[in-house]
Amino acid sequence: MTDTDRFWDGDVNEVVIEEWKAETSPFDRVKEVLLATTTYEYAKQVAERARVSEPSARKHLNTLVDAGFAETDDTGQGTRYKRSRETIAMRRMQELHSELTKGELVEGIRDLKGKIKTYQEEYDVTNPDDLAVELDADDGEGWTAISRWRALEENLKLAQAALSLYDFDPDRERDTAMRSDDSSRGAFASETGDLSA
């Protein structure tokens, strides 16, 4: 029997976990687990997934709450944690900003607005909530339209926020901003025209 004929009988998952533990700090693992947490979990559950002690997980989770990465829910039997909605939005904005050029974002915003306008014209309402009031419970096509319309509106908000990052300069001196020729336009205004919702 040669070396190539032998089979490894280890657990690949355990090897990956051990590598993860060796390459990351307990805080990094807790943060990574938290960012994948969409429902509230107790520190014990996060600790198990992050391969840290429960007191360590609780300490790091509270740090993440203070930093705005996590939300809490006090159940009376303990505190539960999950990633914050703002964190999800910021990550998606950063992804859009890094993946798309300013021109691509502008074009995407126009496309999203066009699709929203199509729903407004097709259903003769201004927003998906107005449509929901008019629908019967068994109108499957209408409810699907509401879901897609809401997703378009959410994507529009994220794209607009990502676009605003192109014009945002936190180091710009305050008085320079105050001397702007057009004070009626916000700090994120640019030559892109009206791309607001």
Side-chain angles (χ1 to χ4, degrees):
M1 181 185 264
T2 66
D3 286 341
T4 56
D5 293 333
R6 294 184 192 152
F7 292 101
W8 180 64
D9 61 356
D11 183 347
V12 70
N13 292 328
E14 284 303 316
V15 171
V16 170
I17 289 168
E18 288 306 314
E19 286 178 5
W20 182 48
K21 285 173 59 177
E23 295 171 359
T24 58
S25 70
F27 177 81
D28 291 334
R29 292 194 302 277
V30 169
K31 183 177 179 184
E32 191 174 322
V33 168
L34 172 75
L35 293 178
T37 303
T38 57
T39 58
Y40 285 107
E41 293 186 3
Y42 289 102
K44 180 179 181 179
Q45 296 168 293
V46 174
E48 290 171 2
R49 291 173 51 207
R51 303 305 199 264
V52 299
S53 69
E54 186 176 343
S56 179
R58 186 172 288 105
K59 178 181 91 171
H60 297 317
L61 286 165
N62 288 331
T63 299
L64 291 164
V65 168
D66 292 342
F69 284 97
E71 297 176 0
T72 60
D73 174 43
D74 189 2
T75 65
Q77 298 176 352
T79 303
R80 298 185 305 169
Y81 305 84
K82 75 171 185 172
R83 67 185 181 189
S84 70
R85 290 177 25 156
E86 293 81 10
T87 298
I88 300 165
M90 286 301 297
R91 289 185 96 182
R92 186 64 186 130
M93 276 176 28
Q94 290 170 337
E95 287 171 8
L96 289 172
H97 187 263
S98 65
E99 293 170 3
L100 302 173
T101 66
K102 187 174 184 177
E104 289 170 331
L105 276 170
V106 168
E107 190 56 39
I109 288 169
R110 287 190 178 118
D111 182 55
L112 289 166
K113 288 178 134 192
K115 289 177 180 176
I116 290 170
K117 186 170 179 62
T118 299
Y119 278 118
Q120 290 170 332
E121 291 171 353
E122 180 179 345
Y123 292 98
D124 194 30
V125 292
T126 57
N127 61 59
D129 293 334
D130 291 344
L131 178 56
V133 170
E134 296 180 4
L135 290 180
D136 294 327
D138 60 347
D139 187 347
E141 185 178 316
W143 291 106
T144 299
I146 288 173
S147 176
R148 290 181 179 155
W149 191 347
R150 286 182 175 150
L152 287 170
E153 288 184 340
E154 190 66 31
N155 288 337
L156 176 61
K157 290 175 189 173
L158 289 170
Q160 290 169 327
L163 179 63
S164 72
L165 291 176
Y166 276 101
D167 299 320
F168 179 67
D169 181 2
D171 298 324
R172 183 185 304 165
E173 292 181 0
R174 188 173 194 278
D175 60 3
T176 302
M178 299 301 280
R179 288 192 304 248
S180 172
D181 291 339
D182 185 1
S183 61
S184 66
R185 298 177 72 192
F188 301 132
S190 70
E191 70 282 352
T192 55
D194 178 23
L195 295 174
S196 60

